[in-house]
Amino acid sequence: MQHKGLHKNVYKLYQYATSQEKLEIHRKKIETPVRKWENLKKEGVSDKLCESTLHISRATYYRHKKTLLMLEKGIFPPTKRPKNLRKPLWGESEKQKVLSLRRTHPTYGKAKIAIILKRDHGLNLSESTVGRILKALKEKGFVTKSISASRQRKKRNFAKSHAKPWTYKDYKDMKVGERVQIDHMTVSKNGLAFKHFQAWDRKSKFIHANIYSNAKSTTAKKFLMEFVEKAPFKIISIQVDGGCEFMADFDQACRDLNIPLIVLPPAKPTYNGGVERGNRIFREEFYANPRLLADSIQDMRFHLKHALG
């Protein structure tokens, strides 16, 4: 039998002890000025002189004194939450428009929704207001937050591979075809799961993408050969993350083509910001389109090729 936690009474005792500790801290904080005020009053000092000496007002003294009496009885001090709260600046119509946009595009955040509302509906809502609406919708269960599962990546041995670790280089010094960013993402659409590979050149803004059934190194090699053939420029170097799909056959293909391969450090997707942004645009603008009814990889490739022009 495995015990994955302590008895519930232990947690209750901890909560009670913590609450009493907080009460004691609060009591010590306000008790000192109250006792000093009382001592000064016994000596016949006026209220104004007490205020200037202890740097608290007469009203504060009586409020602290009342709080001390409550603490002696084991009662928590009254809350400081204001009685009159600011009312929301949005109504039911704004909430319905945000809900409709979020359900149509589940990955849209408050910034993008605010821009779409102003552009298409004439609603000038701030990002913060849209964020509050989304929070209210999440609390009621109308929308959910998508969570992407992280996976462990195999560490690359640079001593035995063609790839080299990433080093900083200024964007202004790069040429067309240098440090072309390549990445892939998993997409599910119309009951079909597939891998979307994409290459992006930061100087020319050239994008090439294709769809495959898996993300093996042989598939990455196939995409690389296709990209080399269709790119309107010479590929000087390639930049990828540490995924296992960019090892083995892909690494050997770069060696055979005499193309330097640069691997990003762990947990640094911002260094591949262009292709990562492209993945998001494809996911939100292309694959999330309800009019995309393709139900096979070949059909999906046809629509993707048409979208790329």
Side-chain angles (χ1 to χ4, degrees):
M1 180 177 179
Q2 293 182 349
H3 296 279
K4 297 184 178 180
L6 301 175
H7 194 274
K8 61 180 181 180
N9 290 338
V10 177
Y11 297 105
K12 290 182 179 180
L13 180 60
Y14 171 76
Q15 291 178 356
Y16 175 77
T18 305
S19 64
Q20 293 301 313
E21 184 180 0
K22 291 180 180 179
L23 281 174
E24 184 65 17
I25 293 173
H26 187 71
R27 184 189 65 79
K28 290 181 179 179
K29 183 179 179 180
I30 66 175
E31 185 180 26
T32 302
V34 170
R35 300 308 178 209
K36 288 183 178 180
W37 185 292
E38 292 176 349
N39 293 333
L40 290 175
K41 291 296 293 181
K42 289 179 180 179
E43 296 177 1
V45 180
S46 63
D47 291 341
K48 290 186 178 180
L49 187 56
C50 290
E51 290 178 353
S52 60
T53 304
L54 301 176
H55 304 288
I56 61 172
S57 65
R58 185 169 177 267
T60 302
Y61 159 70
Y62 282 106
R63 186 169 61 253
H64 286 349
K65 186 176 181 180
K66 181 180 179 181
T67 303
L68 282 175
L69 293 175
M70 296 175 63
L71 291 175
E72 290 175 358
K73 297 178 182 180
I75 305 174
F76 280 98
T79 178
K80 295 183 179 180
R81 186 172 184 261
K83 296 181 180 179
N84 299 323
L85 301 177
R86 187 180 66 173
K87 295 182 179 180
L89 301 177
W90 43 272
E92 187 65 24
S93 60
E94 290 84 357
K95 185 175 72 174
Q96 291 300 325
K97 287 184 173 61
V98 172
L99 178 61
S100 176
L101 278 172
R102 184 57 181 265
R103 284 183 171 176
T104 306
H105 306 282
T107 57
Y108 280 10
K110 60 181 181 180
K112 196 160 190 175
I113 292 177
I115 294 175
I116 294 176
L117 288 174
K118 184 176 181 180
R119 182 191 65 191
D120 299 342
H121 303 280
L123 287 177
N124 192 13
L125 297 179
S126 65
E127 292 183 18
S128 300
T129 302
V130 176
R132 294 187 187 100
I133 297 175
L134 289 174
K135 182 180 179 181
L137 293 173
K138 289 176 185 177
E139 290 176 351
K140 294 183 179 180
F142 293 129
V143 296
T144 57
K145 183 179 180 181
S146 59
I147 303 176
S148 58
S150 60
R151 59 189 180 96
Q152 296 291 331
R153 292 189 179 273
K154 183 180 178 181
K155 292 185 179 180
R156 186 188 294 265
N157 187 354
F158 291 103
K160 296 182 179 180
S161 67
H162 172 66
K164 301 300 178 185
W166 182 89
T167 56
Y168 174 78
K169 185 174 183 180
D170 195 344
Y171 167 71
K172 298 178 181 178
D173 299 332
M174 293 186 188
K175 302 177 183 178
V176 176
E178 186 175 5
R179 297 205 179 190
V180 175
Q181 300 176 11
I182 298 181
D183 194 20
H184 96 281
M185 64 177 177
T186 303
V187 182
S188 297
K189 181 69 176 180
N190 301 332
L192 182 69
F194 50 89
K195 307 294 182 179
H196 172 98
F197 277 81
Q198 182 184 176
W200 179 79
D201 176 60
R202 64 186 308 167
K203 274 292 185 179
S204 63
K205 311 300 180 184
F206 177 77
I207 295 178
H208 175 67
N210 207 343
I211 297 171
Y212 301 92
S213 59
N214 57 66
K216 299 180 180 179
S217 61
T218 53
T219 306
K221 175 185 175 181
K222 184 178 180 181
F223 175 77
L224 173 64
M225 303 304 293
E226 180 182 322
F227 174 63
V228 171
E229 181 182 351
K230 294 190 175 183
F233 48 82
K234 180 182 177 182
I235 300 175
I236 301 175
S237 60
I238 293 175
Q239 181 173 291
V240 297
D241 58 19
C244 59
E245 65 273 11
F246 299 119
M247 299 182 185
D249 293 349
F250 183 87
D251 188 284
Q252 185 61 41
C254 292
R255 185 194 299 271
D256 296 339
L257 294 171
N258 197 24
I259 299 176
L261 179 60
I262 303 169
V263 180
L264 302 180
K268 291 295 182 181
T270 52
Y271 294 173
N272 254 7
V275 70
E276 294 287 354
R277 178 65 178 177
N279 286 341
R280 177 179 175 181
I281 291 175
F282 273 108
R283 188 184 295 276
E284 295 180 350
E285 305 294 341
F286 178 71
Y287 293 114
N289 191 339
R291 291 177 293 180
L292 181 61
L293 304 177
D295 56 357
S296 66
I297 291 182
Q298 290 76 15
D299 196 12
M300 196 69 71
R301 283 175 181 167
F302 171 79
H303 288 282
L304 178 63
K305 184 178 179 180
H306 180 73
L308 289 172

